[in-house]
Amino acid sequence: MTSGADLFVVCKQCGSEVSPYITECPYCGNRLRRRAPKLPRVHAPTHPPRGRARFGSLFARSKLRTARPPRRATTVRGVGRWAAERPYATMLLVAAGCVTWVVWHAKPDLYLQTAVIGPLNGDWWKLFTNEFAYLNGIYAFLVLLTVAIFGWLLERRHGPAVVLGLFLGAGATGALVASAVYSDAIVSGGNGAALALLAAWAVPDLEVARVGADYEGDLLGPAAIAALLLAIPFARPEVSWLAGVTGGALGLVVGLGMYRLGEPDL
């Protein structure tokens, strides 16, 4: 390949005169060079200063070493910083309900000492113990299963203190409202507390579904469980529907508050 005054080059394969600034012959496709030569700059020095070139190469290499792609967020929806911990609070609540059920069969008077039957008459502890008092095994199984599922999921987000506080607070508030509305109120079991845990867990998905965005959760299962818990009072007279509704409403309020405060991955 020869050149004529740097105006053109001759292809060795076909003998055509082509531009010196191309890499392949347009007539036969023969490879002329690996890369096209750079065009000279106007009023640019032919060789840059030695120190400047060395500094520029060092700067370019250090930039290549330090430049890294931005790290993507790897958070999983519904999982907070408590995800790696065991759900001790949920296990404690479920175990307390099971133990109370067993002890009640050995000592029937225990139900009268834990459930809210009529006015409180100063027995304020019944506001917290009624959540563990069960007469019916199917009712106890459904409530404890709901607490185990949604208490565990909620504890992964916010930790054990939130689960314990919401369970006891929702149960006590529901019993207090039922006692204030009905003079002969009967409140037993944790239907209100279980609904509070379920509602607090479902708030993020409800908010996302409300705005019409895509979400990874499934609200059909929680909705079916919530409907069953709300329907139990119509089959079991010792279960208070007002306590259940109050607990579910309190769970929605607490869950919405934590969602708006920006809790981990809600």
Side-chain angles (χ1 to χ4, degrees):
M1 183 173 58
T2 60
S3 62
D6 293 332
L7 298 178
F8 61 87
V9 294
V10 179
C11 177
K12 288 184 178 181
Q13 185 169 346
C14 64
S16 302
E17 297 177 353
V18 296
S19 172
Y21 300 106
I22 61 176
T23 58
E24 293 182 359
C25 177
Y27 302 102
C28 65
N30 180 38
R31 186 76 171 179
L32 301 176
R33 57 175 59 87
R34 290 186 177 180
R35 62 183 65 183
K38 295 182 180 180
L39 294 175
R41 296 181 181 179
V42 181
H43 306 296
T46 306
H47 299 286
R50 197 170 186 179
R52 185 176 179 182
R54 183 178 301 175
F55 176 77
S57 62
L58 291 176
F59 175 76
R61 271 182 279 175
S62 63
K63 189 176 181 181
L64 288 175
R65 285 196 299 265
T66 56
R68 296 178 180 177
R71 183 178 298 177
R72 294 184 59 187
T74 57
T75 56
V76 180
R77 185 173 182 81
V79 178
R81 64 186 182 92
W82 299 92
E85 302 293 334
R86 292 186 178 181
Y88 292 108
T90 303
M91 292 189 295
L92 177 63
L93 294 174
V94 174
C98 294
V99 170
T100 306
W101 168 257
V102 174
V103 174
W104 173 80
H105 282 78
K107 187 179 180 181
D109 294 342
L110 180 64
Y111 179 80
L112 300 177
Q113 299 174 7
T114 54
V116 175
I117 303 176
L120 290 174
N121 293 328
D123 298 338
W124 57 267
W125 64 84
K126 292 184 178 181
L127 295 175
F128 301 97
T129 58
N130 75 89
E131 307 165 35
F132 306 99
Y134 300 97
L135 283 178
N136 183 265
I138 298 178
Y139 170 49
F141 174 78
L142 178 61
V143 170
L144 294 179
L145 181 62
T146 306
V147 172
I149 295 174
F150 296 99
W152 167 61
L153 293 174
L154 194 63
E155 191 168 350
R156 296 183 71 193
R157 291 179 182 173
H158 308 293
V162 172
V163 174
L164 286 175
L166 185 58
F167 183 89
L168 297 176
T173 304
L176 189 62
V177 171
S179 299
V181 173
Y182 299 103
S183 58
D184 55 348
I186 301 178
V187 184
S188 66
N191 61 324
L195 283 169
L197 297 176
L198 186 152
W201 175 84
V203 162
D205 288 339
L206 290 173
E207 284 291 300
V208 176
R210 183 179 61 86
V211 299
D214 294 333
Y215 60 97
E216 300 177 358
D218 183 12
L219 294 176
L220 294 179
I225 296 176
L228 189 57
L229 288 175
L230 292 173
I232 281 182
F234 298 98
R236 299 297 306 178
E238 75 274 11
V239 183
S240 173
W241 69 270
L242 186 56
V245 172
T246 303
L250 183 62
L252 287 175
V253 173
V254 173
L256 184 60
M258 292 187 295
Y259 178 80
R260 294 301 172 90
L261 289 177
E263 288 291 329
D265 192 32
L266 281 176

